[in-house]
Amino acid sequence: MGLVLLVLAAPLLQVLLVNRAPWGGPDLVTLAVVWLALVRGPVWGCVAGLAAGLAADVTPPADGTVGRTALVLAAVGLLTGLLSGLLSGLPPGRAGRWPAGGRAGGAWREGRRAGGVWPAGGPPGPGWRALLLSGAGAALGTLLQAGAAVALGDEPWASVAAWLPPTLAWTVAIGAPVGALLLRRRPAGPEPRPVARRV
């Protein structure tokens, strides 16, 4: 529930707090979407990216193409959630729910995933995996937003080149450890679902 509220409040917090800082700051909207996608999976990430992106697109000072951020963040949420499930060895329907100890039932064989993703040394531990996923999702979101701004003509490349390095550094530096912490604190296994009874 807390991450959903953060996704809804992130565009406002971005405009009121982060954008006014003289040293730059992280992209809070991207971070909120990535964190929710890591914790809840690709569907939640995609929906959160669409909602937060639309809110960010219309939050003053809205000066770009409406829907640009929504499209980018929906794709980032979907990809981050899918990648989280893929690297944890879970089937796509259970992506985002990491099993206890970072290993899925029969998916791991002799220190390697069944698909052969990892080198002979075996997969990194759950902490490193979470850190890499969070950082990669945060970097992907920031870079795709910059690319979309240039591609759609909303900002010239010189302007993007000025704000991209500090924003990317802040976003990855904050996003990776917090995302890893969120994944490590989450209980393993599927979430309990209410049982529907037929009458």
Side-chain angles (χ1 to χ4, degrees):
M1 182 68 171
L3 284 175
V4 174
L5 292 176
L6 179 62
V7 166
L8 296 176
L12 189 59
L13 292 173
Q14 182 76 37
V15 170
L16 292 177
L17 301 175
V18 177
N19 289 352
R20 295 181 183 206
W23 55 83
D27 186 353
L28 294 179
V29 182
T30 299
L31 289 177
V33 170
V34 166
W35 293 336
L36 190 68
L38 288 173
V39 173
R40 299 301 299 253
V43 174
W44 277 83
C46 187
V47 171
L50 186 66
L54 280 175
D57 282 336
V58 298
T59 302
D63 58 352
T65 305
V66 175
R68 177 190 78 202
T69 307
L71 178 64
V72 167
L73 291 181
V76 167
L78 179 70
L79 290 173
T80 304
L82 286 173
L83 188 61
S84 172
L86 175 72
L87 291 180
S88 65
L90 295 173
R94 297 197 29 164
R97 296 185 178 100
W98 290 47
R103 295 182 181 257
W108 295 90
R109 306 263 191 273
E110 301 171 12
R112 298 185 75 179
R113 231 183 108 233
V117 173
W118 307 111
W128 285 106
R129 223 179 2 240
L131 195 65
L132 289 172
L133 280 171
S134 303
L140 179 68
T142 305
L143 291 172
L144 284 178
Q145 284 190 51
V150 171
L152 293 174
D154 291 338
E155 292 187 45
W157 175 246
S159 170
V160 170
W163 63 259
L164 183 61
T167 302
L168 183 62
W170 275 104
T171 304
V172 172
I174 292 174
V178 173
L181 180 66
L182 287 171
L183 282 174
R184 302 240 343 140
R185 294 188 69 211
R186 183 186 54 202
E191 298 172 356
R193 296 182 184 213
V195 177
R197 293 184 175 197
R198 292 186 178 179
V199 179

